[in-house]
Every structure is written in C-alpha cells, then in structure tokens.
Amino acid sequence: MKKLNKQLPIIASLLIAIVILHSLFVDYSVQFPDFISTESSESTAESMKPKVVSENGVLNRISYLESFLIELESRELPVDTEQEETKENIKRVLVGQKLVLGLSLFYLLLTFSTAVSYAFRAWFHKSLANVFYPVSFVVLAPKVFYQLNLILQQEVLAYFYFVYLIITYGISVIAYRMILKNKELAEGFQSLQFSSSLEEEGRSPSNTKTGSIFGPIFHVVFIILIGILIGNLIYIPLFLLQKHYVTEFSYFIFFLLGLLSLFYIFNYKKVGGEENSSNWINLAVSFAYLQFRFLRNSFFAVFSTILIVLFVTFLFSLLLFNIDLIQNHLGLFGKATEF
C-alpha cells in the first residue's frame, strides 16, 4: 500500500495528461437560448434553460479555420470591405486558437516534467508540483461541472467521464498533499542548481593584458561591422518574412526555439547529469529542469513587470497630485502668468 501511495503523483500526472489529450479533440461549452419566450408552458421553460454541448476540440477548430480561410482566399470575389474584415477576424481567432493549443501542449509537457522530477527525486520537484497541481485543480473544476450538467441532460457517456474526472481530482488532491507533507529532502541532481557556474568550467581565462590604443578602436569597428551585417543579413530578412509570410515565420520561430531547447537540454545533461543514471533518465530530468527554469523566469518577469508598472503609475500619480496641489492651493502657475 505504501508503494502505491508513493506512486500516486505519477498516476495523477498520467490521468491529467489523458484529460488534456481528450480536451484537444473534444471540448464543452454552455449554449444559451437564442431568444426569450414569454410563454409559460413546460416545454418552453425547458428550452429556455442553458445547455452544455460538446464540440470540436482546439485541433479540429484550427483545422477547420485554416481550411475555411484557404477556401475564402482562393475564391475570386470582388474587393469588399466586409470580406476583408471577415478574413482579419478569422485570422485573429485562428491566432487565439493556436495560442490555446500552445498552452495546452506546454501543460501536457508539464505533466511529464512533474512526474519525472518526482520519480527521480529531483531537488526542484516540489516547485513544479506547486505550479502543476493548483493549475490542474482549476482546469478540472469546470470539466466536472460540464459533465454533471450533461448527466442531468441524460447523456450516457457523461457518467463514465464524470467518474473518471472525480477519481482524477481525488488522486491529485491526495498526491499534492502527500508531496507537501513529505519533509524528506530531495537530493537528486543537485548539480543542476549550479549549472550556470559549471558551464564556465573548462574555459580558458581571458587575457587581461593591456594592449595598445588601437585594440579598443579595432573592437568598436569590428562590433559596428558585425552589427551592420546582422542587420542586413538577419534582421531585415526576418522583418520581411514575418510581414509577408506570417505562418512560415511562426514555424521558423518554433523551429529555432526547439533547437535552442535541445541545446539547453543536452547542456544540462552534460553539466548536471548523474553518473549512476542512464542517459535517458538524465535527458528526461534535464527537460524537466528546462521547464522549471522557464516557469521560474516567466514568474520573475511577470512579477518584475507588475512592479515596474505599479512604480511608474505611482510616480505619475504623485506628479499629478503635486501639480494639482501647486496649481489649486499655492497658485504659483497663476502668479507666473501675471508676469
């Protein structure tokens, strides 16, 4: 029984991953009546109730919108303002759906990272759990509500999915409480904490000798030339690419992000992997650590941005308050205009 309890976080991650995969293909929404009737019959009252309906998931919606947009652009129709506005609206909706797909895939990878970091006792597994499980509770709650309403609508399949969601929710709560109450220190892959300093090892020391005055001038000229080359050969083509080929540019950016992620994963494996573990385990933990670093840096960036916005808002408010105080109470602006 104790062995099963220790495996609950891994089981919870697997169950939640199945829920995420299901939501990629099937989604639910609340459908409200199109009109309000003043009749008081029983059938009319029943038709006025909001209903939960199943619809295509985000993958099917993206496929449908892309095919519809291609068909709309392929037709030779007269130039019409409403048609162009329709295309722009569809493109905005398509971008939003792709963003939802990206977040869903990131959440799906987070289930893997949470399970891997817990299974191999990585030192950062509690930090991932503190993000993963609260988010999962928020995500699962409306799904339980939808299935409960579908049960009231006499949907047979909703009974099975409702039981599955309740089991998943319960196991997730127990697993999260077990992780929080576990006071044992996870000491696996401790070297990843010092990955930044370990990356510096093995590099030759920089030359600190002072040279002639032409050295800094050469460096400045070299930096200017490199900047010109980068601007003309990289920045300008990238700008034209994202302006005229939005879809291709998006794929190119994701390809570069994938290459960068692979570089970091193999780098973390090299500097922070354990000799007693296999290469696959080191790669899996390195991937989990990359996602942990991404979440930590994202939270730090959001928190810093909020602080900066609040600070700037406070400064402007203080400035406006001082101007109002000087103008209305001291009358300095009015006296200055008399001269």
Side-chain angles (χ1 to χ4, degrees):
M1 190 66 181
K2 291 183 179 179
K3 291 183 178 179
L4 180 61
N5 289 335
K6 289 184 178 180
Q7 299 299 322
L8 283 180
I10 301 176
I11 297 173
S13 299
L14 178 61
L15 295 176
I16 294 173
I18 295 174
V19 173
I20 300 170
L21 289 174
H22 177 265
S23 64
L24 294 179
F25 299 95
V26 181
D27 201 0
Y28 301 93
S29 63
V30 180
Q31 189 178 57
F32 294 93
D34 296 332
F35 62 93
I36 299 177
S37 177
T38 56
E39 298 180 5
S40 59
S41 62
E42 184 177 351
S43 59
T44 304
E46 186 69 23
S47 63
M48 288 296 102
K49 293 181 180 180
K51 294 182 179 180
V52 175
V53 295
S54 61
E55 56 187 21
N56 292 329
V58 62
L59 288 176
N60 293 327
R61 289 198 296 267
I62 290 175
S63 177
Y64 172 76
L65 288 173
E66 287 181 343
S67 60
F68 179 73
L69 188 61
I70 292 174
E71 183 179 357
L72 188 63
E73 291 179 345
S74 62
R75 293 182 178 179
E76 295 182 359
L77 299 175
V79 178
D80 188 7
T81 305
E82 294 182 358
Q83 178 187 349
E84 295 300 324
E85 291 179 356
T86 302
K87 290 182 181 179
E88 293 299 325
N89 292 332
I90 294 175
K91 289 180 180 179
R92 282 193 289 268
V93 174
L94 187 59
V95 170
Q97 293 299 316
K98 289 183 178 180
L99 181 61
V100 172
L101 176 61
L103 292 175
S104 300
L105 293 178
F106 182 83
Y107 183 34
L108 182 63
L109 294 175
L110 184 60
T111 62
F112 172 78
S113 299
T114 306
V116 166
S117 61
Y118 173 81
F120 301 113
R121 306 299 297 167
W123 60 270
F124 54 89
H125 81 92
K126 280 192 176 182
S127 300
L128 284 179
N130 288 330
V131 176
F132 173 69
Y133 286 103
V135 171
S136 299
F137 297 150
V138 175
V139 171
L140 291 176
K143 296 183 181 296
V144 174
F145 166 77
Y146 289 146
Q147 298 307 313
L148 186 60
N149 280 269
L150 286 174
I151 290 175
L152 297 177
Q153 295 171 200
Q154 305 299 322
E155 293 287 342
V156 178
L157 295 178
Y159 289 92
F160 300 99
Y161 196 37
F162 176 76
V163 173
Y164 178 84
L165 290 175
I166 292 297
I167 293 174
T168 303
Y169 210 100
I171 292 177
S172 300
V173 171
I174 297 172
Y176 187 43
R177 288 188 60 187
M178 187 183 68
I179 291 175
L180 293 180
K181 289 184 177 181
N182 188 7
K183 302 301 181 182
E184 297 180 4
L185 294 177
E187 299 179 352
F189 298 88
Q190 286 285 344
S191 56
L192 283 174
Q193 296 188 59
F194 314 102
S195 58
S196 299
S197 59
L198 288 172
E199 290 170 1
E200 299 294 332
E201 293 183 0
R203 295 184 181 180
S204 59
S206 58
N207 188 8
T208 57
K209 294 182 179 180
T210 57
S212 63
I213 192 174
F214 296 102
I217 297 176
F218 173 76
H219 289 163
V220 172
V221 174
F222 181 75
I223 291 173
I224 292 174
L225 292 176
I226 291 297
I228 294 173
L229 290 176
I230 291 176
N232 287 276
L233 299 179
I234 297 178
Y235 288 158
I236 294 177
L238 285 179
F239 173 76
L240 296 176
L241 182 64
Q242 65 89 22
K243 183 178 180 181
H244 299 286
Y245 303 96
V246 179
T247 304
E248 291 78 3
F249 180 76
S250 302
Y251 293 150
F252 179 67
I253 291 296
F254 282 117
F255 174 73
L256 293 181
L257 288 176
L259 289 180
L260 185 62
S261 300
L262 288 176
F263 168 77
Y264 274 106
I265 289 171
F266 282 100
N267 197 30
Y268 291 147
K269 172 185 173 295
K270 179 181 178 182
V271 301
E274 293 186 344
E275 296 181 356
N276 298 329
S277 302
S278 64
N279 289 330
W280 291 108
I281 293 177
N282 288 330
L283 283 174
V285 176
S286 299
F287 174 81
Y289 181 68
L290 175 64
Q291 198 163 23
F292 163 73
R293 288 283 298 268
F294 180 82
L295 288 172
R296 187 179 65 180
N297 295 338
S298 298
F299 288 148
F300 178 76
V302 171
F303 183 71
S304 302
T305 304
I306 293 174
L307 286 181
I308 292 172
V309 171
L310 291 177
F311 180 71
V312 172
T313 304
F314 172 75
L315 287 181
F316 273 100
S317 301
L318 186 62
L319 178 62
L320 293 175
F321 175 76
N322 290 335
I323 292 175
D324 182 70
L325 181 66
I326 293 173
Q327 186 175 6
N328 295 332
H329 296 279
L330 300 180
L332 294 181
F333 290 154
K335 293 180 180 179
T337 55
E338 294 178 359
F339 294 98

